[in-house]
């Protein structure tokens, strides 16, 4: 050969030579075949063959790993195919309930997961998924002392020398008593949603020797249900034959029936000391179980019916105990100690709650029926071989199936076939023969992946056709969504062989695209650790929100069972949900339903008995109604006969949760007199609270009358009729109603006392209450409705229907009022005054401050509108229109978007109505956007809907509002401002800030008793006219406020009203002589008269920077809202 000539390796091989290529720059060695013996320490990471043309064929895909010319036995070694190790770890991590990395790694190192393919300690360390579901169930508070900044005396530490005989290490031992088989039990708190089987709680049991945690659902915490749950757990443990407890430790609150059942099972009962719950190991087990179960629930499909949560408990218990070690036998898992070794190949697990397609057998489907059905995976059956338990969407029942296609959203779908057992057994035999360890094979697969990427990159650079057998390429007709991860870079070109019969547990989905199209990667189903381009959010709420947006765009709404149930429950207030079928049942259906008729017939009978003359020995009478014959109704009253509507609700917080209420049809009652009732408004209540905190020694209490509308004697009787079939049999027999019923099946009643639905009930109840209070010396103000005082006692109160807000100085005065009410009504009194009209009150009498908040009201409002918390904080309650800098004129933004339907209009009206009370009570930052939405709700558009959602996002992301009042001299002060032509249709806006302060030239600020944020209906011709309009509006409100303050006993000097418009201030104070002001003559003449002549107001000017009313005149930028919110509201403190 010539120097530096090319050398043919093929020629050397043909002449019986062995060529060894060394790594890097070390060169190449050539040996005669008889002179070399290669002994590898590990199996080769890549193998190939030489075809008939003399070319070396090296596969780049695992499914092309053998030559077609090789023996069939060698081909079988690659038949048990798996996708990448990363996907395997993700899938099995989800199937085991999303445990933490430390827990999963410990279980693998202890050999608990040897039958799980690819789930080795090395693979877990390398590919453990940092999923949100793990954090949702297992996140804990950071421990103290981690990376401490405490200064340590290093010199002193270096000077310490070990002394002989001094202890340097501790050795800890666990001691278990062999004869004492101990178990512990305790119950969790209530689960947020009642299951379809009526379960609300979970009993958690711990067996100490095996370190085994078990769980059983409970319907209630009554003795009967606790006993049944305990017996279920004990029977399961006894059936295993491995554990039979003889010692039972539980809390000292255990009922006697449960303790007796424990003793009957030959167990000794031991109670923990009072208030020493930590002595019960089940307390800690509850934390462990709840963390695991919460992770499982966080990983279920968004469409999973959450009322099936108790069906997930068996497999949650299984996976939890697979991850725990036994105490007496630390080398095996807690599950193995109780049930023996777990075989994944016999009982394959999958992520609980994921969507599935299950096979429908030919005997169950029609000739052209679909071969699969929709459902959700619940668990894998312990009694069957490779059989899954699924929840069928169509029938809402469980079914055992042996063929399932998993649609989990984070990982590749597993496909289980009948050949798995044979292939897996053959693979293990091949590994044993070749000395291949389980963990090494996964490393080989990773090495193959790396080599494949190298060859892919090389082929792209040279753009040469590989010298291998050409396979048929597949092109996708539809593009696959791209999912790119930081640790992955998709190849520029991907070619895959034609798919064969799937015979693997976890197949990889083949994806091929044409060279001119964008390269895509397979869609991931198990969430990847990190994204190269972070999405808007990876939270569950954001995913649900994204799904809703997609469904709205497509016109096909996707709604989970829980969402649909909540929506329909709100829409149909008088219906009860059947947890098993999802059907909403009304009164008549409940009386006839085979499962519900007993309890609801009793509930209805209780309501009839309460309204009528009672039921002997069970229900006390109120004598509100009386059953009569039809001929007893006067002839002139037949046209007033109305109907009765029955409202059925389940109130779990009540002693009797099944509640039926009869309501009169008030729309058919023609009552001749006025039915209006004087009551206190929000302005009066706020001034009253200021008066309490500003009066030395005064305190606040509230009282509530029960059944205020009921039992009030009517001035004239009312009549109604009801079908005999709608009356429970117990009432028919008790009152002999078949004899009183008409031939067409109607029963007539006479109403002689107040009840729900009567339009005159409130008026009559108030008149009766007023007459009774007048007899005790209390009277209502003739000027301020809702304000009450006593003739001689220094006590005042405001009254809203039946809620009393009381200001008192002496306890004896409060006692006198309470006793006066108790003579006639059942009343509850809260002397601390913690809540009034849904407003939470935090009284700080020492510093003379009171804090108003409504967090529960806000949370309930957001739940009512199904509003999901957005990922980004909304700092403005309404979209801000950026000013056009440099323009001579700024124009309002006109809405030209499409009109929406009636349902959307109702939604806007509900939002404005619901949050208007919250804004007027504690959060004035919402007043301006609410007034804008209210102006648009008659003709809402798509932009209106977006603005409404913007407002809801603001309410959801801001902390609950807190308004604080400080003690003052109770002198009214007002800031007035206007926004000129800043609303649609050339409208201007009024802003006002009303507060109580001191009588000084510039009164210091206080919490607002009223904020004006309204649109001026008339078109203003100038800025000065708009300012005059704002002053007029605020001054008119000031007259009402002055009257309230004067009536309470707080004398008022001329009320200072601040404006930042010098022209308006000059006109009112007669320092500017108007000539062309006919359009605003009425306003400034009224203001002049009230200010100059009557001395009710004092108008003065201050610059706009000191104007607090400016905030309510326009829609500001988020930055301005952030700045002003801290000045208007107090920070929320729990």
């Amino acid at each position: 050969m010539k120097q530096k000539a090319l050398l043919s390796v093929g020629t050397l091989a043909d002449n019986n030579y062995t060529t060894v290529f060394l790594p890097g720059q070390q060169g190449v060695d050539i040996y005669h075949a008889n002179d070399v013996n290669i002994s590898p320490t590990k199996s080769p990471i890549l193998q190939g063959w030489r075809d008939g043309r003399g070319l070396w064929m090296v596969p780049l895909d695992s499914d092309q790993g053998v030559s077609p010319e090789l023996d069939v036995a060698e081909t079988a070694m690659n038949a048990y195919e798996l996708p990448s190790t990363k996907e395997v770890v993700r899938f099995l991590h989800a199937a085991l309930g999303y445990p933490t990395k430390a827990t999963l790694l410990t279980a693998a190192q202890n050999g608990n997961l040897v039958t799980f393919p690819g789930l080795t300690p090395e693979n877990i360390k390398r590919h453990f998924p940092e999923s949100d579901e793990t954090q949702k169930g297992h996140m804990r508070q950071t421990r103290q002392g981690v990376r401490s900044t405490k200064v340590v005396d290093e010199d002193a530490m270096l000077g310490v020398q070990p002394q002989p005989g001094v202890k340097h290490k501790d050795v800890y031992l666990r001691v278990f008593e062999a004869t004492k088989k101990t178990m512990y039990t305790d119950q969790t708190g209530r689960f947020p949603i009642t299951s379809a089987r009526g379960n609300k709680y979970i009993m958690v049991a711990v067996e100490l020797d095996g370190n085994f945690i078990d769980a059983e659902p409970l319907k209630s915490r009554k003795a009967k249900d606790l006993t049944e749950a305990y017996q279920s757990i004990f029977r399961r443990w006894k059936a295993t034959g491995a554990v039979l407890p003889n010692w039972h430790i539980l809390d000292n609150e255990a009922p006697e029936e449960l303790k007796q059942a424990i003793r009957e099972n030959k167990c000794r009962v031991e109670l923990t000391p009072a208030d020493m719950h930590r002595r019960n190991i089940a307390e800690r087990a509850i934390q462990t179980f709840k963390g695991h179960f919460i992770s499982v629930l966080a990983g279920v499909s968004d469409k999973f019916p959450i009322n099936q949560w108790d069906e997930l408990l068996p497999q949650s218990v299984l996976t939890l105990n697979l991850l725990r070690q036994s105490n007496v036998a630390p080398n095996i898992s807690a599950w193995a100690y109780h049930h023996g070794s777990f075989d994944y190949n016999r009982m394959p697990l999958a992520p609980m709650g994921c969507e599935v397609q299950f096979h429908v057998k030919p005997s169950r489907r029609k000739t052209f029926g679909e071969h699969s059905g929709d459902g959700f995976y619940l668990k894998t059956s312990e009694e069957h071989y490779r059989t899954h338990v699924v929840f069928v969407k169509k029938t809402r029942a469980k079914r055992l199936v042996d063929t399932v296609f998993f649609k989990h959203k984070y990982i590749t779908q597993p496909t289980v076939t009948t050949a798995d057992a044979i292939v897996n057994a053959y693979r293990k035999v091949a590994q044993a023969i070749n000395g291949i360890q389980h963990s090494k094979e996964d490393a080989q697969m990773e090495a193959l992946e790396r080599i494949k990427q190298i060859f892919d990159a090389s082929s792209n650079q040279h753009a040469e056709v590989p010298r291998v057998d050409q396979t048929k390429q597949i092109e996708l007709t539809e593009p696959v969504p791209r999912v790119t991860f930081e640790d992955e870079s998709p190849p520029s070109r991907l070619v895959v062989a034609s798919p064969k019969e799937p015979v693997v547990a976890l197949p990889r989905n083949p994806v091929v695209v044409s060279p001119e199209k964008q390269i895509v990667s397979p869609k991931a189903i198990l969430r990847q650790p990190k994204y190269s381009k972070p999405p808007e959010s990876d939270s569950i709420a954001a995913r649900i929100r994204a799904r809703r947006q997609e469904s709205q765009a497509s016109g096909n709404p996707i709604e989970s069972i829980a969402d649909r149930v909540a929506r329909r429950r709100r829409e149909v207030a008088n219906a009860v949900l059947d947890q098993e079928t999802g059907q909403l049942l009304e009164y008549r259906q409940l009386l006839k339903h085979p499962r519900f008729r007993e309890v609801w017939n009793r509930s209805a009978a209780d309501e009839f008995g309460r309204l009528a003359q009672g039921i002997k020995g069970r229900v006390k009478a109120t004598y509100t109604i009386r059953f009569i014959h039809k001929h007893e109704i006067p002839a002139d009253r037949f046209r007033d006969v109305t109907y009765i509507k029955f409202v059925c609700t389940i109130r779990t917080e009540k002693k009797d949760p099944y509640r039926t209420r009869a309501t009169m049809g008030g729309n058919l009652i023609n009552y001749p007199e006025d039915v209006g009732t004087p009551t206190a408004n929000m302005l009066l209540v706020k001034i009253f609270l200021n008066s309490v905190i500003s009066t030395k020694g005064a305190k606040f209490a509230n009282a509530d009358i029960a059944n205020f509308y009921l039992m009030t004697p009517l001035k004239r009787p009312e009549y109604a009729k009801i079908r005999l079939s709608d009356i429970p049999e117990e009432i028919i027999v008790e009152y002999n109603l078949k004899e009183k019923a008409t031939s067409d099946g109607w029963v007539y009643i006479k109403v002689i006392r107040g009840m729900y639905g009567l339009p005159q009930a409130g008026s009559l109840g108030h008149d009766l209450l007023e007459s009774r209070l007048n007899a005790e010396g209390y009277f209502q103000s003739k000027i301020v409705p809702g304000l009450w005082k006593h003739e001689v006692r220094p006590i005042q109160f405001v009254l809203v229907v039946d809620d009393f807000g009381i200001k008192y100085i002496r306890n004896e005065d409060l006692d006198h009022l309470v006793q006066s009410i108790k003579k006639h009504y059942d009343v509850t009194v809260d002397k601390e005054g913690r809540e009034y009209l849904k407003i939470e009150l935090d009284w700080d009498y020492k510093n003379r401050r009171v804090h108003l908040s409504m967090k529960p009201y806000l949370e309930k409002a957001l739940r009512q509108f199904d509003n999901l918390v957005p990922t980004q904080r909304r700092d403005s309650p309404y979209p801000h229109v950026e000013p056009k800098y440099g323009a001579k004129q700024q124009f309002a933004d006109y809405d030209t978007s499409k009109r929406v339907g009636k349902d959307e209009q109702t939604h806007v009206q509900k939002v404005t109505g619901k949050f208007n009370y919250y804004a007027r009570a504690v959060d004035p930052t919402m007043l301006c956007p609410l007034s804008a939405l209210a102006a648009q709700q008659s003709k809402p558009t798509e932009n209106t809907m977006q603005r409404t959602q913007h407002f809801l996002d603001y309410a959801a992301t801001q902390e609950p509002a807190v308004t604080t009042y400080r003690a003052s001299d109770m002198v009214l002060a007002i800031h007035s401002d206007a926004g000129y032509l800043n609303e649609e249709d050339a409208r201007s806006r009024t802003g006002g800030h009303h507060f109580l302060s001191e009588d000084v030239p510039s009164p210091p600020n206080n919490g607002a008793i009223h904020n004006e944020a309204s649109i001026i209906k008339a078109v203003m011709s100038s800025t000065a006219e708009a300012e005059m309009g704002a002053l007029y509006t605020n001054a008119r409100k000031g007259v009402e406020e002055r009257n309230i303050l004067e009536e309470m006993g707080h004398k008022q000097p001329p009320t200072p009203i601040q404006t930042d418009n010098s022209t308006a201030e000059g006109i009112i104070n007669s320092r500017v002589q108007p000539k062309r002001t006919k359009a605003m003559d009425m306003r400034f003449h009224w203001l002049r008269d009230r200010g100059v002549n009557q001395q009710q107001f004092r108008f003065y000017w201050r610059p706009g920077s000191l104007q607090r009313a400016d905030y309510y005149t326009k829609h500001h930028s988020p930055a301005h809202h952030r700045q002003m919110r801290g000045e208007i509201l107090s920070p929320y403190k729990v």
Side-chain angles (χ1 to χ4, degrees), residues 994-1015:
H994 301 222
F995 58 99
L996 298 172
S997 186
E998 286 75 34
D999 186 14
V1000 294
S1002 294
N1005 190 35
N1006 198 354
I1009 59 171
H1010 174 74
N1011 290 105
E1012 189 69 36
S1014 58
I1015 298 174

Side-chain angles (χ1 to χ4, degrees), residues 315-588:
Q315 189 151 312
S316 298
V317 170
L318 186 155
T319 53
L320 174 61
N321 288 288
L322 281 176
L323 301 169
R324 295 167 60 83
Q325 299 305 117
S326 168
N327 283 329
V328 297
N331 57 333
I332 63 174
S333 66
W335 179 267
Y337 182 83
H338 268 238
H339 298 82
S341 300
F342 178 81
D343 186 0
Y344 180 86
N345 297 301
R346 177 181 178 83
M347 188 179 171
L349 305 180
M352 288 167 273
C354 67
E355 290 187 83
V356 298
Q357 288 287 320
F358 61 89
H359 182 244
V360 180
K361 303 300 180 186
S363 60
R364 285 176 170 261
R365 65 174 185 260
K366 297 181 181 180
T367 305
F368 287 94
E370 296 176 345
H371 288 209
S372 68
D374 300 327
F376 298 93
Y377 172 80
L378 298 177
K379 62 180 180 178
T380 302
S381 174
E382 299 180 23
E383 301 176 346
H384 303 78
Y385 179 77
R386 289 194 182 179
T387 302
H388 304 287
V389 181
V390 300
F391 178 80
V392 183
K393 285 185 180 181
K394 185 176 182 180
T395 62
R396 301 187 62 82
K398 294 187 295 184
R399 184 181 297 183
L400 292 169
V401 293
D402 59 352
T403 306
V404 178
F405 177 76
F406 294 89
K407 297 171 59 180
H408 196 271
K409 57 183 175 294
Y410 301 126
I411 52 177
T412 305
Q413 335 298 348
T415 303
V416 181
T417 68
T418 56
D420 286 348
I422 300 174
V423 174
N424 190 33
Y426 190 96
R427 176 169 174 249
K428 291 183 177 179
V429 173
Q431 289 176 350
I433 294 173
N434 295 315
I436 301 176
Q437 299 297 325
H438 182 67
S439 61
K440 295 176 181 177
E441 183 188 62
D442 297 308
Q444 294 165 8
M445 294 294 294
E446 292 300 307
L448 282 170
E449 271 311 300
R450 290 195 297 271
I451 293 177
K452 176 182 174 182
Q453 293 174 5
I454 295 172
F455 275 87
D456 285 340
S458 176
S459 63
N460 292 331
Q461 291 175 3
H462 298 287
E464 296 179 355
V465 179
R467 294 184 296 172
V468 296
D469 290 341
Q470 300 298 315
T471 59
K472 183 180 179 180
Q473 297 185 3
I474 306 167
E475 293 191 5
L476 298 178
T477 57
E478 296 182 2
V480 180
R482 180 177 179 85
V483 182
T484 305
F485 306 105
E486 286 185 348
D487 55 348
E488 297 179 355
S489 56
S492 301
R493 179 185 174 93
L494 184 60
V495 179
V496 179
S498 302
K500 300 179 182 179
E501 180 71 15
V503 293
V504 298
L506 299 169
R508 180 178 301 169
N509 295 334
V511 180
V512 181
V513 296
S514 57
E516 63 272 10
K517 293 182 180 180
Q518 185 182 14
I519 302 303
V520 297
S521 300
K523 185 176 180 180
I525 296 194
L526 182 64
R527 186 181 300 125
Q528 299 282 359
K530 295 180 180 179
Y531 292 86
S532 57
K533 182 179 180 181
E536 182 181 355
S537 175
D538 56 358
S539 66
I540 292 178
R543 292 201 302 270
I544 296 175
R545 187 180 178 192
R547 286 177 52 249
R548 287 181 176 173
Q549 292 175 351
E550 293 174 2
S551 65
Q552 291 172 0
S554 62
N556 299 320
I558 302 174
E559 198 173 30
S560 67
I561 296 293
D563 288 340
R564 185 166 68 251
V565 167
R567 174 176 55 80
R568 293 176 65 185
R569 183 179 292 168
R570 289 189 299 271
E571 293 174 355
V572 189
N574 60 325
V576 173
L577 174 68
D578 184 350
Q579 297 284 359
E580 293 189 4
T581 64
Q583 183 182 4
L584 288 165
L585 305 177
E586 297 185 2
Y587 174 74
R588 291 176 181 172

Side-chain angles (χ1 to χ4, degrees), residues 84 272 422 557 574 621 636 654 727 734 774 972 977 1006:
S84 69
T272 60
I422 300 174
N574 60 325
D636 60 338
K654 300 292 185 180
I727 303 176
E734 180 81 14
N774 289 342
L972 177 65
D977 199 7
N1006 198 354

Side-chain angles (χ1 to χ4, degrees), residues 1011-1051:
N1011 290 105
E1012 189 69 36
S1014 58
I1015 298 174
I1016 303 175
K1017 295 181 180 180
V1019 178
M1020 300 290 101
S1021 59
S1022 65
T1023 304
E1025 184 180 3
E1027 294 284 352
M1028 291 287 292
L1031 287 167
Y1032 175 70
T1033 301
N1034 284 292
R1036 281 195 311 167
K1037 195 68 177 180
V1039 172
E1040 178 186 356
E1041 294 163 347
R1042 287 175 58 90
N1043 290 337
I1044 294 174
L1045 290 164
E1046 294 276 357
E1047 192 69 11
M1048 284 186 181
H1050 303 288
K1051 299 300 180 181

Side-chain angles (χ1 to χ4, degrees), residues 984-1100:
E984 294 183 10
D985 299 328
R987 296 297 190 268
S988 301
R989 180 175 282 279
T990 297
H993 176 65
H994 301 222
F995 58 99
L996 298 172
S997 186
E998 286 75 34
D999 186 14
V1000 294
S1002 294
N1005 190 35
N1006 198 354
I1009 59 171
H1010 174 74
N1011 290 105
E1012 189 69 36
S1014 58
I1015 298 174
I1016 303 175
K1017 295 181 180 180
V1019 178
M1020 300 290 101
S1021 59
S1022 65
T1023 304
E1025 184 180 3
E1027 294 284 352
M1028 291 287 292
L1031 287 167
Y1032 175 70
T1033 301
N1034 284 292
R1036 281 195 311 167
K1037 195 68 177 180
V1039 172
E1040 178 186 356
E1041 294 163 347
R1042 287 175 58 90
N1043 290 337
I1044 294 174
L1045 290 164
E1046 294 276 357
E1047 192 69 11
M1048 284 186 181
H1050 303 288
K1051 299 300 180 181
Q1052 295 294 300
T1055 298
I1057 302 183
Q1058 176 178 311
T1059 179
D1060 60 358
N1061 187 278
S1062 58
T1063 302
E1065 184 266 337
I1067 292 175
I1068 296 172
N1069 290 326
S1070 301
R1071 289 188 291 102
V1072 174
Q1073 186 63 34
K1075 293 183 179 180
R1076 298 180 181 180
T1077 58
K1078 290 296 181 183
M1080 47 177 157
D1081 273 353
M1082 181 189 70
R1083 296 185 182 90
F1084 77 70
H1085 283 307
W1086 187 90
L1087 292 171
R1088 274 183 175 178
D1089 179 65
R1090 293 280 178 161
V1092 178
N1093 298 334
Q1094 299 187 29
Q1095 294 292 312
Q1096 284 189 345
F1097 300 105
R1098 172 174 62 86
F1099 299 94
Y1100 67 100

